[in-house]
Amino acid sequence: KAGVTQTPRYLIKTRGQQVTLSCSPISGHRSVSWYQQTPGQGLQFLFEYFSETQRNKGNFPGRFSGRQFSNSRSEMNVSTLELGDSALYLCASSWRGSQRSYEQYFGPGTRLTVT
Amino acid sequence: DQQVKQNSPSLSVQEGRISILNCDYTNSMFDYFLWYKKYPAEGPTFLISISSIKDKNEDGRFTVFLNKSAKHLSLHIVPSQPGDSAVYFCAASARSNDYKLSFGAGTTVTVRA
């Protein structure tokens, strides 16, 4: 079974630009969550999508948005990039049929650098 | 507000010895706990989990202990192997919060040969 894939793996953008990151979940998984990882901060939850609907949202500004398509693939968009948005962005998928399904499966991440 | 805390940013242990990673949480509503392992340039990988109705769960060399009264859990790795060198994240979720995962900041484990 193919794992979670994220594209692109690396990205360099300048302040003020916008960026779109893509995530393809494991086949059969309907939930996709996005996290931001920065040094010393662990994984900060951005949002979760389930069946094309945003189900949960973390404490990030409105510049961070996402969506999910009917095939469960998800995209995350960050507008008006700031230097502090430089981070590893991780996508995770899960089945979400029972509590054990919250054993999320992560992709390799997209390393975003804002200059 | 960091609801899950891993107070030791790093741990160094000799190969063959026990590694003990600690995690504290503040939200008494958390009812499911997980440990993830992360190598550089890869996403975190699920390692082991425990429900709040249990106080111990074992899977091979990995054992997680939960002390609900102390709001504390720990991960024991016995024996430690060089391939265990990685960053370990503790995570917790609550049914009341729609099972959203809250992660700790991670502990970097280095296993010395």
Side-chain angles (χ1 to χ4, degrees):
Chain A
K1 202 178 216 183
V4 178
T5 58
Q6 291 186 246
T7 56
R9 292 293 310 275
Y10 302 92
L11 206 49
I12 300 175
K13 291 284 189 178
T14 56
R15 278 179 296 174
Q17 287 187 311
Q18 74 160 16
V19 66
T20 299
L21 312 181
S22 180
C23 172
S24 293
I26 290 172
S27 177
H29 285 190
R30 294 167 64 192
S31 168
V32 173
S33 297
W34 288 89
Y35 296 85
Q36 181 194 67
Q37 186 191 2
T38 52
Q41 293 296 313
L43 280 70
Q44 303 294 315
F45 174 76
L46 281 153
F47 29 64
E48 178 195 4
Y49 284 87
F50 179 74
S51 293
E52 302 178 64
T53 302
Q54 188 179 89
R55 182 151 182 161
N56 273 308
K57 191 177 188 306
N59 298 321
F60 278 81
R63 300 185 297 106
F64 292 82
S65 63
R67 60 177 175 169
Q68 187 180 33
F69 302 95
S70 57
N71 62 358
S72 294
R73 190 177 71 85
S74 177
E75 288 183 346
M76 188 191 91
N77 184 276
V78 187
S79 62
T80 320
L81 283 165
E82 301 177 359
L83 293 178
D85 296 333
S86 295
L88 179 68
Y89 290 88
L90 292 159
C91 160
S93 75
S94 67
W95 176 54
R96 229 185 194 283
S98 67
Q99 189 178 35
R100 281 186 64 86
S101 72
Y102 297 103
E103 297 161 4
Q104 296 184 354
Y105 296 85
F106 284 83
T110 294
R111 172 70 63 183
L112 172 65
T113 302
V114 182
T115 62
Chain B
D1 178 30
Q2 199 78 7
Q3 298 185 72
V4 178
K5 297 179 182 178
Q6 295 176 256
N7 292 318
S8 298
S10 63
L11 172 70
S12 180
V13 63
Q14 194 162 10
E15 182 179 1
R17 297 293 190 95
I18 183 172
S19 293
I20 299 177
L21 290 80
N22 293 303
C23 178
D24 296 296
Y25 60 95
T26 57
N27 188 343
S28 58
M29 300 302 291
F30 284 146
D31 53 13
Y32 197 62
F33 304 88
L34 308 90
W35 285 93
Y36 283 84
K37 175 180 178 178
K38 185 181 184 300
Y39 293 118
E42 295 182 13
T45 303
F46 169 74
L47 198 54
I48 192 169
S49 63
I50 187 168
S51 165
S52 60
I53 63 174
K54 295 185 175 182
D55 54 19
K56 177 182 174 181
N57 188 27
E58 196 170 352
D59 184 1
R61 296 186 297 113
F62 302 91
T63 302
V64 57
F65 295 92
L66 175 63
N67 182 333
K68 283 188 297 183
S69 61
K71 295 192 180 67
H72 177 85
L73 66 157
S74 61
L75 174 69
H76 292 206
I77 307 173
V78 185
S80 298
Q81 299 174 353
D84 296 331
S85 295
V87 179
Y88 290 79
F89 291 98
C90 169
S93 71
R95 181 174 184 168
S96 60
N97 196 20
D98 201 24
Y99 299 117
K100 187 175 70 175
L101 283 179
S102 296
F103 282 85
T107 296
T108 300
V109 172
T110 303
V111 180
R112 308 185 309 272

